[in-house]
Amino acid sequence: MPLYKNTHLDIDVNNKSDRIEWGHARYQATFRPDQAYEMCIQWAIASGNIVAELIIGWFRKAQTCRLQMVPIPADPLALPFTEKSDPLRGPIYVPLNEEPLLRGKSALFEGFPEDTWLERLFLFQEAIVGRFGFIKCTVESTSHAADVGDHLYVHVTGNMFILIPTTVKSEQKGLRAKPVNKLVNAGRYPVHPEAAPSPHEGYITRHVDVKNRDCYDTSRRMGFLWSWNHMISKKWKGSQAPAAGDEVFQIRMLRDFKHFCANHEQRLSQFWDQCWEIREKATGIKCC
């Protein structure tokens, strides 16, 4: 089944325009209540006020269905891949401090098959973003267009995005991975030489510590890309079902997320222990 479906769109639903208003709509083929649902409006001939009136009408109808509708940019991360990229919208790299979690181990998931380490790391990162109120946001302009396994998430308020750069794709979950061919000096985690690198790795590389050469090892560098949703204006925040949170709330969220990933007050270590406890209860196997 295709990710998106297309249909013609009647933009001038109230027949206010004296000319032809011509548009198309792209919408996700499958709705999942635990994920964000995307609809895209495209038009070749349309008046700005007519389009705005249509979107506001949809927004009001969504409220009656107890759904929250917010606008998002076509490229939520706005990474500087081209000369026309907006430098003021570049995402923020938030590193994940794994050192307190090793506890004498040479690798974070030592004791498990090495060909599952990357997937286990991704699942742990996904649990972290879920803890902070982020849900899956499948946007065609990210992983599906680049053919990589990057996973995008949006906050339930609609104010923030998080991307987990990884080579683990959604369709690989539950499937047994092929044996990993280790490279020389590969570091702590196995590297798949045939896997296409994420297009976001170059951006992350520029934000790691230049003095620490280990940070440039793709197999060791881990973290998140954080971006704001600048399309939520006061009109959306002041509605009956607002995209909650002002700038103070957004800054507080980012600060709290950074502190968590840096293991301030042992919060990351405590969450790591809780994840192990849940696994032990589910499997009945005691882990060290």
Side-chain angles (χ1 to χ4, degrees):
M1 179 181 295
L3 179 63
Y4 285 80
K5 291 185 177 181
N6 300 274
T7 184
H8 291 285
L9 178 64
D10 182 10
I11 295 181
D12 188 14
V13 292
N14 296 321
N15 297 321
K16 291 185 176 181
S17 178
D18 56 354
R19 64 174 187 172
I20 297 177
E21 304 282 341
W22 180 20
H24 296 270
R26 291 172 55 80
Y27 59 95
Q28 291 183 349
T30 304
F31 172 79
R32 292 187 54 177
D34 60 337
Q35 297 185 7
Y37 183 82
E38 184 187 27
M39 295 184 297
C40 307
I41 300 178
Q42 303 169 340
W43 63 88
I45 303 175
S47 305
N49 59 333
I50 298 294
V51 175
E53 185 176 344
L54 174 67
I55 296 176
I56 293 299
W58 287 0
F59 173 64
R60 292 171 179 170
K61 291 180 180 179
Q63 292 183 10
T64 61
C65 299
R66 303 183 66 85
L67 297 174
Q68 179 175 337
M69 180 177 174
V70 294
I72 66 171
D75 183 7
L77 273 296
L79 290 170
F81 291 148
T82 66
E83 295 180 355
K84 297 182 179 180
S85 298
D86 186 355
L88 300 179
R89 284 194 55 224
I92 301 169
Y93 174 59
V94 181
L96 181 64
N97 183 14
E98 67 160 347
E99 295 299 330
L101 310 180
L102 292 176
R103 300 173 183 175
K105 298 180 180 179
S106 59
L108 196 59
F109 296 99
E110 184 178 298
F112 294 95
E114 291 189 13
D115 56 357
T116 66
W117 286 0
L118 289 177
E119 183 175 353
R120 293 179 187 277
L121 175 61
F122 161 71
L123 293 175
F124 178 59
Q125 290 181 272
E126 189 176 47
I128 292 176
V129 299
R131 183 183 186 277
F132 279 82
F134 287 86
I135 59 176
K136 184 73 175 178
C137 180
T138 304
V139 180
E140 191 176 34
S141 61
T142 56
S143 60
H144 293 272
D147 194 26
V148 295
D150 296 322
H151 297 261
L152 181 67
Y153 302 81
V154 61
H155 195 260
V156 291
T157 62
N159 285 279
M160 297 147 287
F161 300 99
I162 276 187
L163 183 135
I164 303 178
T166 176
T167 56
V168 178
K169 297 185 179 181
S170 298
E171 56 269 21
Q172 291 177 341
K173 292 182 180 180
L175 299 179
R176 185 175 181 179
K178 296 181 180 180
V180 178
N181 297 324
K182 283 190 175 181
L183 299 179
V184 179
N185 298 326
R188 296 176 184 166
Y189 298 98
V191 178
H192 297 261
E194 70 278 3
S198 165
H200 308 103
E201 289 181 0
Y203 184 85
I204 297 175
T205 301
R206 292 189 296 169
H207 289 75
V208 298
D209 187 4
V210 179
K211 298 180 181 179
N212 187 0
R213 294 184 179 273
D214 287 340
C215 291
Y216 284 89
D217 184 0
T218 303
S219 61
R220 291 192 180 191
R221 188 170 59 249
M222 63 184 71
F224 309 87
L225 289 180
W226 179 290
S227 181
W228 311 109
N229 185 4
H230 297 285
M231 294 191 65
I232 298 182
S233 61
K234 293 182 179 180
K235 179 185 296 185
W236 295 88
K237 293 183 178 181
S239 61
Q240 295 180 357
D246 52 10
E247 292 184 3
V248 176
F249 165 76
Q250 297 177 19
I251 295 174
R252 188 185 301 117
M253 276 288 301
L254 177 58
R255 185 189 304 116
D256 187 47
F257 187 76
K258 284 183 174 180
H259 288 177
F260 181 90
C261 293
N263 198 35
H264 286 194
E265 300 179 354
Q266 303 297 315
R267 294 171 61 194
L268 181 61
S269 298
Q270 294 174 6
F271 182 70
W272 174 260
D273 294 336
Q274 292 173 4
C275 292
W276 278 109
E277 292 176 1
I278 294 175
R279 181 184 181 277
E280 292 172 3
K281 292 179 180 179
T283 60
I285 301 176
K286 183 70 174 179
C287 300
C288 300

